[in-house]
Amino acid sequence: MKAIQKIRDEHRSISAVLHGLKQLARDAQDPKVKPDFAVFRAMIHYIDEFPEKLHHPTEDNYLFPPIANRVPAAQKLIDSLRAEHKEGAKLIRELERALVLFEDSGAGAARKFVEAVDAYADFHWRHMRKEEQEILPLAEKHFSAKDWDMLNEAFDVNRDPIAGIREKDFSALFTRIVSLAPEPIGLGSRWKKAGA
Ligand SMILES: [Fe+2]
Ligand SMILES: [Fe+2]
């Protein structure tokens, strides 16, 4: 069941970036700190595009439909997860707006930015938890061999040169985040503090 592992791994990557984003948004509340906005932009780009382009379409097209067919009682849960995929895209736009405001207007907008980050992170964690605790066990119980084949194939990005390139792009972006983000989130230098 490599597909289930792959879904869990992707949730871990998204979670890692969300954790980093939350911590750095908090660090940036200190008016003496000079944040590197490129790190915030790269992180938001990742949590926007990776689920949108790769992760959610796989769930929508290959994970949810077989469960809906075999477990009609799960339809409501699946509808709510699909709705959250759309809702997430909207929340990200708010997060981007809050970042632009923070970058343009400084400390006054820092609070609003951290609130938008927390709201998005809580929303996305709730969503991933629901999938891991309620949906993946249903797949493990009810998927047929053919369902697994189709889901595994969807993840076998090497068969699809376009998706393959996309996946490589995202791991390159993840690496960039790690190298840009200041320690202990990543490997970059700590953000400078005015007067320090
Ligand atoms: Fe999802
Ligand atoms: Fe997911």
Side-chain angles (χ1 to χ4, degrees):
M1 293 182 212
K2 77 172 182 190
I4 293 273
Q5 193 48 48
K6 193 90 179 162
I7 290 174
R8 290 187 197 278
D9 288 349
E10 290 185 357
H11 286 171
R12 299 294 165 275
S13 307
I14 296 166
S15 268
V17 176
L18 287 174
H19 263 296
L21 180 60
K22 263 175 87 90
Q23 183 56 52
L24 294 180
R26 229 155 226 87
D27 293 351
Q29 297 301 296
D30 179 345
K32 285 194 202 131
V33 164
K34 300 257 159 286
D36 173 6
F37 285 93
V39 183
F40 287 133
R41 279 193 294 272
M43 286 174 149
I44 292 174
H45 183 53
Y46 184 89
I47 53 172
D48 179 22
E49 293 257 313
F50 178 62
E52 191 76 11
K53 296 264 162 70
L54 279 181
H55 185 80
H56 293 160
T58 313
E59 292 173 341
D60 284 336
N61 299 327
Y62 300 97
L63 176 65
F64 299 159
I67 295 174
N69 280 339
R70 292 176 214 296
V71 193
Q75 189 61 55
K76 225 173 123 195
L77 171 65
I78 289 171
D79 289 345
S80 75
L81 292 168
R82 284 187 192 278
E84 284 165 12
H85 287 174
K86 294 206 176 84
E87 173 73 12
K90 260 202 293 183
L91 281 177
I92 280 274
R93 301 284 86 80
E94 284 169 29
L95 189 52
E96 280 173 341
R97 268 197 296 277
L99 177 63
V100 170
L101 224 79
F102 178 25
E103 197 168 359
D104 289 350
S105 3
R111 190 74 234 150
K112 284 249 171 304
F113 177 63
V114 89
E115 282 167 11
V117 166
D118 286 347
Y120 182 81
D122 288 348
F123 165 84
H124 211 136
W125 272 321
R126 265 199 311 276
H127 175 78
M128 293 189 290
R129 249 196 314 270
K130 230 199 274 182
E131 288 177 342
E132 298 217 1
Q133 291 175 0
E134 298 177 49
I135 280 288
L136 298 186
L138 287 179
E140 282 167 326
K141 197 161 167 209
H142 298 282
F143 259 33
S144 69
K146 192 157 174 274
D147 297 334
W148 286 120
D149 283 349
M150 286 179 67
L151 187 60
N152 282 329
E153 208 170 310
F155 274 112
D156 207 347
V157 287
N158 292 329
R159 291 187 196 179
D160 178 345
I162 295 170
I165 289 166
R166 279 196 198 141
E167 181 152 279
K168 268 191 231 121
D169 285 348
F170 286 116
S171 51
L173 179 57
F174 190 85
T175 307
R176 194 172 117 77
I177 290 169
V178 172
S179 56
L180 278 177
E183 57 159 332
I185 303 298
L187 304 170
S189 337
R190 279 184 186 271
W191 285 340
K192 298 228 174 349
K193 271 194 179 190

